[in-house]
Amino acid sequence: MNTTIDDPLLGALVGGRYRIRALVARGGMATVYTANDERLERTVALKIIHPAQANDPSFVERFTGEAKTIARLTHPNVVAVYDQGSHNGLIYLVMEYVRGHTLRELLAERHRLQPQDALAILEQMLAAIAAAHRAGLVHRDVKPENVLVAEAPGGQTNLVDSVVKVADFGLAQAVEASAEGAGHLMATAAYVAPELVAHGQADPRTDVYSAGIVLFEMITGRVPFEADHPVEVAWQHVEREVPQPSRFVPGLPAVLDGLVARATSRDPSGRPTDAGAMLTDVQATREQLGSGAAPLATYGQH
């Protein structure tokens, strides 16, 4: 059943040039649409921030500043930001439209990924995040929903060769600075670093931790900690070590256990210093797996 027909924004012209065509997704912070840029005649993604954030002056100020910084990030694995403005009091971002699926959708379909596929996706994720780290940005919300796997021509499904892009740089930081910050943190508790929960502090190693949790989920089909309430999940990151992935998928190579353990150390000083350092670690792990030094288990699809 189509529930989008009552959306008043469908068909609206935003910023004098972006004609909204279809709803893509509704999230905790924003609604995403596809739109036609009538000036350049191209399809773009239009992210419109929810009123709860848009009515907070501290959010608006920080978000606008973050958007300008993100727009200067030019990297093939970063979802490009083209424009930013306000429509009927609601802040919007105009971004590159990536035809494909989120990593969340991919995991929902496949449950878990082969190690080489997971590492290929992670490499591109880290390349994007490393570019942000070099520019002084911390993502703070690395999770499968913010990772886009582009659809290859002809519907190719070889993940090793797929283009991966990371979205929503800086958006979490803007939200956490507003009154809604704590709620947002709890909403992404499955991937949150211990220091962000305990002290509200974030640096590049915070993104490394979250990337390690995403790797854990890609190769096991689950997140390491579960509970009835997000706050309980968040504090498990503070109080418990992330278990070895091979505990849930017998036969996973030990090098993957080691990679996850280094990335998800509860003590930030035990992690790679930033996404670039973790990328080097991931590349070395892929080489070990590819050389046959670490035997692979046989995986069934769920």
Side-chain angles (χ1 to χ4, degrees):
M1 178 176 166
N2 188 347
T3 60
T4 66
I5 56 174
D6 294 329
D7 190 327
L9 286 173
L10 289 178
L13 186 66
V14 174
R17 63 185 287 189
Y18 307 110
R19 182 74 64 182
I20 296 180
R21 295 303 185 194
L23 172 70
V24 175
R26 296 186 192 276
M29 294 182 289
T31 301
V32 180
Y33 300 89
T34 57
N36 181 49
D37 181 346
E38 296 187 344
R39 186 177 303 169
L40 296 179
E41 297 183 351
R42 65 178 175 183
T43 300
V44 297
L46 192 72
K47 182 184 288 284
I48 298 183
I49 308 303
H50 294 328
Q53 275 80 44
N55 292 333
D56 185 326
S58 68
F59 171 84
V60 173
E61 180 180 0
R62 184 176 291 269
F63 178 78
T64 302
E66 293 288 336
K68 292 176 181 177
T69 303
I70 301 158
R72 291 194 293 267
L73 271 183
T74 303
H75 191 278
N77 299 117
V78 173
V79 174
V81 172
Y82 299 141
D83 197 4
Q84 183 266 321
S86 177
H87 175 75
N88 293 337
L90 299 178
I91 302 173
Y92 65 83
L93 270 184
V94 181
M95 304 177 299
E96 171 187 8
Y97 174 62
V98 180
R99 188 179 301 278
H101 303 280
T102 66
L103 180 56
R104 168 63 62 220
E105 292 168 335
L106 196 63
L107 289 172
E109 176 187 338
R110 302 196 183 191
H111 180 62
R112 63 174 181 254
L113 305 181
Q114 294 277 355
Q116 287 285 12
D117 289 340
L119 293 177
I121 289 174
L122 184 62
E123 272 196 19
Q124 295 187 67
M125 287 173 53
L126 291 171
I129 299 166
H133 289 172
R134 289 192 296 271
L137 280 173
V138 178
H139 192 293
R140 300 167 73 101
D141 198 22
V142 177
K143 59 185 179 182
E145 288 82 355
N146 286 335
V147 178
L148 306 177
V149 181
E151 182 179 289
Q156 178 181 324
T157 57
N158 183 358
L159 295 180
V160 170
D161 297 325
S162 295
V163 175
V164 175
K165 292 178 180 278
V166 180
D168 281 359
F169 285 92
L171 187 56
Q173 185 168 348
V175 172
E176 286 170 13
S178 75
E180 299 296 315
H184 172 68
L185 175 62
M186 293 304 102
T188 55
Y191 309 92
V192 69
E195 64 273 16
L196 200 50
V197 178
H199 310 295
Q201 298 174 346
D203 65 22
R205 298 169 299 182
T206 303
D207 289 342
V208 167
Y209 183 94
S210 298
I213 300 296
V214 172
L215 173 60
F216 182 101
E217 183 174 12
M218 285 194 288
I219 59 179
T220 66
R222 54 160 291 160
V223 290
F225 304 125
E226 296 176 335
D228 292 335
H229 302 287
V231 67
E232 297 171 358
V233 175
W235 278 100
Q236 286 185 70
H237 288 279
V238 178
E239 298 166 351
R240 296 172 56 186
E241 299 290 346
V242 172
Q244 294 182 335
S246 61
R247 170 181 163 188
F248 302 98
V249 183
L252 276 178
V255 290
L256 289 175
D257 285 342
L259 179 60
V260 169
R262 291 188 295 277
T264 61
S265 167
R266 284 189 294 168
D267 180 354
S269 67
R271 302 174 207 152
T273 53
D274 57 20
M278 186 178 175
L279 176 57
T280 300
D281 199 354
V282 170
Q283 290 169 336
T285 301
R286 282 190 78 185
E287 289 178 5
Q288 290 184 62
L289 293 178
S291 69
L296 296 179
T298 301
Y299 296 85
Q301 296 296 335
H302 287 229

